[in-house]
Amino acid sequence: MEGAAEPHWCWGTLGSQVVKIVVLGKSGQVATSLQSVQNDAIEVIALGRGELDLTNTADLFQPIAAHEPDAIINASAYTAVDQAETNQDAAFVLNKTAVKRLGEVASQLSIPIIHLSTDYVFNGSGIDAWTPDDLTDPLGTYGKSKLAGEMALAEVSSNYAILRTSWVFSATGSNFVKTMLRLGKDRDSLNVVSDQIGGPTSADDIAAASIQIAKALIANPDQKGIWHFSGLDDCNWADFATEIFRQAKIDCDVHAIPSSEYPTPAMRPLNSRLDCTTTEQDFGIKRPLWTDSLTAVLRDLGEVS
């Protein structure tokens, strides 16, 4: 197995300066993880609906500028993949229009913005890991809206990082790990899709990577681009479920099924492998072992000691 680094939770100051970061999407998985990073070197200000309404783009500047941040991390998004098919306007407002405005705000403040994106910008063909330069071709509204946000951000910002990730899980919010724990305790067996391949990625690891990238962009205002970040090794959903049950000592059999036996309103990419080579080259961030990150999440949930 390829080597992996521990999450980068030892930050240090940028010179003698405390790095102040405004985070959007206060109640989301990654934003929640980011809020736990409070120390003498990092100040995280998380803004949610109570502080600013991302659907009202005319009023985004002042609530952010008032905190005099050194960087913005946008962890907000419309993430209801299936509902997006019938609620397209809402998806595009949050995933494109708001992202463009946040990019403009960052430019007005002359600070970098780190924007979280998704493997859903690809069509899932083939078996090779997707590189940041590969042709995008989203299958559904969610992926199309996220791609539109990437493109809009690139148009208005000169100091940005788009960080695509996949299969996010944590001890908070709604995610695959928590769903499997709930269902596995109530059932003897579960049918789980096995022909979709990707890298499970913990919110804590994404938060750590995001802050490390933010600090790099603060130090280099000319840096911009798209990077990938996901857990190691790639697996399918059935394998992911099996490992959850193994670690949590839940007696529930996993039956692997093709996606065709579990139809959903929105198509999912079969191949969500992400090539994270440039993320390690440019920022020194290696892919974390998702099995280790899963153990940490299960510990937080009280499922393992």
Side-chain angles (χ1 to χ4, degrees):
M1 179 177 289
E2 180 182 335
E6 293 293 327
H8 303 273
W9 292 109
C10 297
W11 304 113
T13 56
L14 191 67
S16 59
Q17 173 190 354
V18 174
V19 178
K20 187 184 294 187
I21 300 175
V22 163
V23 173
L24 288 308
K26 187 175 184 177
S27 61
Q29 294 186 80
V30 176
T32 299
S33 291
L34 283 161
Q35 289 170 74
S36 70
V37 187
Q38 297 285 359
N39 54 43
D40 292 339
I42 299 290
E43 181 181 355
V44 174
I45 304 104
L47 304 180
R49 294 179 182 176
E51 293 80 23
L52 82 172
D53 180 2
L54 287 171
T55 66
N56 185 1
T57 55
D59 291 336
L60 296 187
F61 179 82
Q62 190 55 40
I64 295 173
H67 295 284
E68 300 182 345
D70 299 299
I72 296 171
I73 296 178
N74 181 33
S76 67
Y78 185 103
T79 58
V81 175
D82 289 326
Q83 291 89 322
E85 295 304 309
T86 54
N87 203 5
Q88 296 182 8
D89 289 346
F92 273 87
V93 166
L94 279 179
N95 293 346
K96 177 193 174 183
T97 309
V99 173
K100 180 177 181 179
R101 181 57 186 143
L102 290 172
E104 291 171 341
V105 170
S107 293
Q108 287 176 276
L109 295 173
S110 298
I111 61 175
I113 178 169
I114 293 78
H115 171 63
L116 301 183
S117 194
T118 174
D119 56 294
Y120 276 66
V121 299
F122 299 111
N123 64 18
S125 62
I127 60 172
D128 293 332
W130 299 99
T131 73
D133 294 330
D134 280 335
L135 182 67
T136 51
D137 181 25
L139 298 173
T141 299
Y142 169 67
K144 291 175 182 177
S145 66
K146 291 294 290 183
L147 177 59
E150 290 185 7
M151 296 171 68
L153 178 61
E155 289 176 0
V156 299
S157 177
S158 59
N159 189 201
Y160 67 88
I162 294 165
L163 187 64
R164 295 176 181 149
T165 189
S166 63
W167 298 20
V168 182
F169 67 93
S170 71
T172 62
S174 299
N175 57 69
F176 184 77
V177 171
K178 295 178 72 176
T179 298
M180 289 299 102
L181 291 171
R182 175 174 54 83
L183 294 177
K185 292 174 181 178
D186 291 338
R187 303 182 187 180
D188 294 328
S189 64
L190 287 173
N191 295 331
V192 184
V193 168
S194 62
D195 56 356
Q196 297 173 23
I197 312 295
T201 319
S202 85
D204 281 352
D205 291 332
I206 297 169
S210 297
I211 291 185
Q212 185 147 330
I213 292 170
K215 291 179 65 178
L217 267 62
I218 292 169
N220 183 2
D222 294 324
Q223 193 166 21
K224 62 181 179 180
I226 300 173
W227 289 269
H228 289 171
F229 180 70
S230 65
L232 185 75
D233 283 338
D234 295 320
C235 67
N236 62 50
W237 290 110
D239 290 337
F240 192 8
T242 298
E243 180 63 13
I244 294 167
F245 296 150
R246 187 192 71 80
Q247 289 198 24
K249 294 182 171 57
I250 293 175
D251 187 13
C252 181
D253 292 331
V254 175
H255 299 305
I257 63 171
S259 300
S260 58
E261 292 187 18
Y262 189 75
T264 55
M267 292 180 63
R268 269 68 173 171
L270 296 181
N271 176 21
S272 289
R273 300 171 180 88
L274 296 177
D275 186 325
C276 306
T277 303
T278 56
T279 308
E280 181 175 357
Q281 290 175 344
D282 295 342
F283 304 110
I285 300 171
K286 295 184 178 181
R287 295 179 69 182
L289 296 172
W290 67 261
T291 50
D292 290 348
S293 299
L294 173 62
T295 303
V297 166
L298 293 176
R299 187 177 296 116
D300 288 343
L301 290 169
E303 299 291 341
V304 300
S305 58

